[in-house]
Amino acid sequence: MTTDWKALCAALIEEAPYESPTTCLARALLSQPEPEGPSDRIISIAMAVQECASAWEPTARLIGNVCAEDIADLCGAVLARWGRPATPTETP
């Protein structure tokens, strides 16, 4: 379940009977720009790495204590959050 924090902040400000530290924080949060997601290039790389990492031995250590399964999970989380690239790249 995702929470619409902006809607909650707006409701808090609208319904607050007086200005408080909480309403000041809500105003500050609402004034922040939306965070940018990764570029299409990074999404394409995450897709390719997830595909490769899924084929590796899940417990194989690739970078320090990071195993293939962790890398596949990380790429999966990036793709679940930001989706697919607008212009997919072709692999040779």
Side-chain angles (χ1 to χ4, degrees):
M1 179 180 137
T2 59
T3 303
D4 185 351
W5 294 106
K6 287 200 175 240
L8 289 173
C9 287
L12 174 69
I13 292 167
E14 186 176 303
E15 295 174 15
Y18 57 89
E19 195 70 20
S20 69
T22 304
T23 56
C24 289
L25 177 60
R27 288 182 198 287
L29 290 171
L30 285 174
S31 70
Q32 297 296 313
E34 287 290 323
E36 289 186 31
S39 67
D40 285 352
R41 179 177 167 270
I42 297 300
I43 295 294
S44 295
I45 291 169
M47 290 171 62
V49 170
Q50 183 186 34
E51 190 174 309
C52 291
S54 297
W56 297 329
E57 174 61 36
T59 58
R61 303 288 178 201
L62 303 175
I63 306 168
N65 284 331
V66 179
C67 62
E69 184 177 44
D70 296 334
I71 293 174
D73 289 346
L74 174 64
C75 291
V78 168
L79 294 171
R81 170 66 173 91
W82 284 287
R84 302 291 185 229
T87 53
T89 58
E90 294 183 22
T91 54

